[in-house]
Amino acid sequence: MQSQFLSPSENAINAWEQCREYLAESSFVIPTVLEQQTKRVFTLSEFVAKQCSRKPEVFLELLNSKRLDNSLTFQQMEEQLVSKIQSIKTEDELSVVLRRFRNQQMIAIYWRDLLDIASVHETCEQVSALADICIQQANLWLYEKLSVEMGMPLKDQESQHLIVIGMGKLGGHELNVSSDIDLIFCYPEVGEIANERKNVSHEKFFNLLGRQLIKVLDQFTAEGFVFRVDMRLRPYGDSGPLVMSFSAMEEYYQDQGRDWERFAFIKARLITGTDRDKKQLSNLLKPFVFRRYIDYSVLESPRQMKNLIDQELRRRNLSDNIKLGPGGIREVEFIAQALQLIHGGRDPSLQCRGLFQSMPRLAELGLLSDDIVDELLEAYLFLRKVEHRLQAAKDQQTQTLPTDDVEQQILAHGLDFKDWKSFREKVSDTMGKIHQHFSVLFRDSNDTQTKSESELVFQDIWHDFTSIEEENNVALTLQQAGFNDIDRVTEQLKGFIASSSVRHIGPRGAKRLAQLMPAILQIIAALAEQTETLSRILRLLSSISRRTAYLELLGENGGALKQMIQLCSASPKIAEQIADYPYVLDELLNPNMLFNPPEISQFPDMLRQLLCRIPEDDPELQMDCLREFRQINLLRVTAADIAGALTVRQVSRYLTAIAETVIESVVKLAWQQLSLKHGFPQSERVASGSTVRGFAIIAYGKLGGHELGYGSDLDLVFLHEAEKRMTDGEKPIENGIFYMRLAQKIITLLSIRTRSGVLYEVDMRLRPSGNSGFLVSHIDAFVEYQNESAWTWEHQALIRGRCILGSASLRGQFEKIRTVILSKKRDAQELKDQVVLMRQKMRDSLLEDNLSDKMLFDLKQSVGGIADIEFITQYLVLKLAAIEPNLVISSNTSELLAFLARSEHVSEPR
């Protein structure tokens, strides 16, 4: 909408008259609306007014081609520049062509932006595309000219090219209308160009090419400039070499790269170079930018940068800077980039360049609320629009609000505000909202000026211990702080400080620990179980102390820290889990997710999404991903269990679902790895379209009964139904061997220990003939064994047998034999004797000899324990299933007991 308040300026009217006269002489019919639009644009932009009045032929060309109404595609813009460059012979001609092309394109871009024909996002995309095309075509022309003069740099007999890395807003396709461009130059490989007179190093060639490229883009001439070029983001800044080889770049960022450079490289985009070179360089730089662990250390860098910026703003009195001031554009970018760096290593979907892509993703992941993201994006778009209006005036890079009354009124009215005051209020309100969100994220929880007296007490405690103050002072302070067992707490803290994990922690880790410990002590002092909780927390800290990122995570998230301590206080298992697998700490950041596990039906899709981000040719990462999925969801279930949000039965169902989800993925991975080498089993009985051809996994025990516990292993039996034929791959093997190797691989993937721990221990002793039997049984052999050779205890085990994965055919055959076996008529006394005998053998084998001497009770194996309940239930099922068919439907002990109670075979609970 065009402002009703904006009156054309005198300069705009004069410029329009010059253009109108030229258009009339050229027989161009001037619509009334065009005159109004032109005066508005000329009033808002002296640059456009001067360009059009000085070169009205350019204005006419844009009008005739409808370029002022519709933006060009990247390809159309590129074709236009290529056609203009083809015939030029000198660098000076290149300079003129580029500047005239740039000015013509910018007139059209300004026009659409100032009339609100184009959105802020579209304008940024257009300016970024213009910069890309100018860089690419100028680089190509200069490269060809220099190669003729000096020879062509080669790598493996192929030409090497200058890699231009677009940083900042250029990299993110977010250039403003009068932006400079931040560039870094590099080349693939050190070497020399063979020359008749004297060999020329690749470095010298690309250094010269880089300087020529900067000159042709940046130098201000009578035609203006193309883009201002800023090279200060390169390694070592202004004092560093203009170009570097890939290996030198990798060495620099690996050894000397700083956090602010990681921020800068989030948006980095390779504008020139071959696809092969781009891929190689991207792979070299990616580990520097995105760490595989959650990295809260990055919060310190924007704090420091913002402090320096704020100091500069105060020194130069630039409080009206909408980019660098409190609540400015830079703070929105810092918020998005910090969260990208913190979580992007674990979630590749956050490794995007543009703010318009990253912000919605942050909301999807729950790292920012939808409301905050909407508010920040709305504020960001408004400030970017103001920024464009400021820069459009004179085609200058500025973000400072004007002080001149006339300029203020033009800016306000051009943005549809009735006066400067209402506009200024909108800017202040917008920047205030941004700064509030920025302050929350980047607040320094360790600033002593913001700490209360009670918080300072705990800071003094830690200081006294680390400074080896007199013990009497420490004891007194601990007592005042609310600790009960002073001697025990003192012993624990001294032991922790003297431990090797703390002594070798390093300066950065020591600083973080000193910031973290007072908060830990304050939380623990308020608990009932102080010494036990402190012991668990200190063990946990010892295990993560050398990974300062985890200390930073807890230090930056008071809620997560409190959550962790409370969970560890309630459960030693959780304390052990976090100590062994600290990557689960990330889950503590979102209590809503932590205490509300996802729906069981969501597990397969969750794991599928995680695995989709892992390269298919990286089995180690795939294994780590499976283990992390299990540990993270195990923590969620445990936390919800402790909080009383889940019943015992729900906990078992969740743990069972997690295991089944993992098993399914493991089978797919194993099948994929094996079939790539040997092909697929061929058989008349195996459906070619089935998920796992002719293969099934039977779960026994707690997994089969939906009764899995936190430390349960997996009782599995593998079946197949293929005939004795060969697979169809390059290296065919007999079907039976294929399934045996498949089973071996599944067991290995489940039970092998990696840096992320073990998935599950697997127990195969329930297969036909136990440890002496085949690893995988043919279904026909399984049926024969169950009918003719299985012991009573094996039929007991079959009660909790359940097919958790397999083809429809095998599922059906297993269910049929299970029903037949369990429904057999049995002699009640003989059955009772066998069950009692087996129960005693189990108790003798599994119950510790000295347990009774210590007057201790084993919850599962002692008389009256869980195993007795299970055996009673199984005895009744085998005894009654012939007359109660419904007893064979379920594999769950509690469901079977409930049915037995309803059928009055056992009494109802009192």
Side-chain angles (χ1 to χ4, degrees), residues 185-385:
F185 297 154
C186 57
Y187 61 96
E189 197 170 90
V190 174
E192 286 189 336
I193 302 170
N195 197 295
E196 292 180 359
R197 290 171 295 176
K198 183 180 179 181
N199 288 357
V200 178
S201 69
H202 290 173
E203 181 181 13
K204 182 176 181 179
F205 178 93
F206 288 115
N207 194 295
L208 182 57
L209 176 58
R211 293 190 184 283
Q212 291 178 352
L213 182 59
I214 293 171
K215 178 183 175 183
V216 83
L217 293 173
D218 180 84
Q219 188 177 50
F220 195 87
T221 70
E223 299 285 346
F225 63 95
V226 186
F227 283 94
R228 308 173 194 89
V229 178
D230 191 336
M231 300 294 298
R232 291 175 295 176
L233 291 181
R234 69 184 189 270
Y236 306 105
D238 285 337
S239 62
L242 188 66
V243 296
M244 296 177 73
S245 67
F246 284 5
S247 58
M249 289 272 286
E250 181 182 24
E251 182 178 353
Y252 170 82
Y253 289 113
Q254 186 175 18
D255 298 340
Q256 302 184 50
R258 290 156 290 181
D259 279 340
W260 70 262
E261 289 174 298
R262 293 179 60 204
F263 273 83
F265 263 97
I266 288 178
K267 292 180 182 288
R269 182 166 55 86
L270 308 188
I271 297 174
T272 66
T274 65
D275 291 341
R276 182 188 67 175
D277 290 340
K278 286 180 178 180
K279 183 177 181 180
Q280 181 185 354
L281 183 60
S282 296
N283 290 337
L284 291 177
L285 295 176
K286 185 177 177 181
F288 164 68
V289 184
F290 294 104
R291 309 284 166 78
R292 285 195 63 197
Y293 51 85
I294 300 167
D295 185 10
Y296 272 87
S297 65
V298 300
L299 291 177
E300 192 61 33
S301 184
R303 281 194 194 119
Q304 294 171 355
M305 286 190 280
K306 273 299 294 178
N307 287 338
L308 292 173
I309 291 169
D310 292 344
Q311 290 172 13
E312 183 69 6
L313 288 171
R314 288 191 295 271
R315 186 178 67 80
R316 297 170 58 192
N317 192 26
L318 297 178
S319 57
D320 284 341
N321 190 298
I322 62 166
K323 178 181 179 181
L324 304 179
I329 293 168
R330 179 62 58 81
E331 288 193 355
V332 182
E333 295 171 339
F334 276 162
I335 290 171
Q337 290 169 351
L339 292 173
Q340 283 181 270
L341 287 183
I342 291 169
H343 301 280
R346 291 278 297 280
D347 194 326
S349 68
L350 286 173
Q351 296 175 15
C352 48
R353 297 184 181 91
L355 189 82
F356 296 107
Q357 291 78 44
S358 61
M359 275 294 192
R361 185 60 185 147
L362 293 172
E364 290 173 14
L365 294 172
L367 300 174
L368 289 176
S369 70
D370 290 338
D371 291 341
I372 290 177
V373 167
D374 291 343
E375 190 168 70
L376 286 173
L377 282 177
E378 181 182 353
Y380 177 79
L381 285 169
F382 172 72
L383 293 182
R384 288 301 303 270
K385 190 171 185 177

Side-chain angles (χ1 to χ4, degrees), residues 457-465 477-478 481 483 493 521:
V457 168
F458 293 95
Q459 190 166 297
D460 291 341
I461 290 173
W462 183 250
H463 177 269
D464 288 347
F465 270 102
T477 311
L478 284 171
F483 283 98
L493 290 175
L521 293 173

Side-chain angles (χ1 to χ4, degrees), residues 553-564:
L553 183 155
L554 295 171
E556 296 290 348
N557 292 275
L561 177 64
K562 187 174 183 179
Q563 198 69 65
M564 182 193 75

Side-chain angles (χ1 to χ4, degrees), residues 680-683 685-691 693:
F680 300 101
Q682 299 299 299
S683 171
R685 297 178 64 176
V686 176
S688 60
S690 59
T691 306
R693 300 181 181 184

Side-chain angles (χ1 to χ4, degrees), residues 76-130:
Q76 290 171 330
M77 199 184 299
E78 184 180 50
E79 288 172 353
Q80 284 192 11
L81 181 56
V82 169
S83 67
K84 296 176 185 296
I85 286 179
Q86 282 178 343
S87 59
I88 65 175
K89 302 297 182 183
T90 67
E91 197 173 318
D92 288 339
E93 288 179 301
L94 175 65
S95 177
V96 171
V97 168
L98 286 171
R99 280 152 181 76
R100 289 178 178 175
F101 177 74
R102 181 263 180 191
N103 290 337
Q104 183 184 42
Q105 301 302 321
M106 286 307 303
I107 290 171
I109 291 171
Y110 273 127
W111 182 278
R112 290 193 304 277
D113 185 76
L114 294 172
L115 293 178
D116 292 324
I117 297 172
S119 66
V120 172
H121 186 51
E122 183 183 344
T123 297
C124 293
E125 288 274 6
Q126 281 279 294
V127 181
S128 301
L130 175 61

Side-chain angles (χ1 to χ4, degrees), residues 85-86 88 136-153 160-161 205 209 212:
I85 286 179
Q86 282 178 343
I88 65 175
Q136 290 166 355
Q137 294 307 314
N139 173 64
L140 183 60
W141 190 93
L142 292 168
Y143 177 83
E144 291 176 352
K145 175 177 175 291
L146 203 58
S147 294
V148 172
E149 296 171 359
M150 303 176 68
M152 183 175 289
Q160 284 199 62
H161 293 270
F205 178 93
L209 176 58
Q212 291 178 352

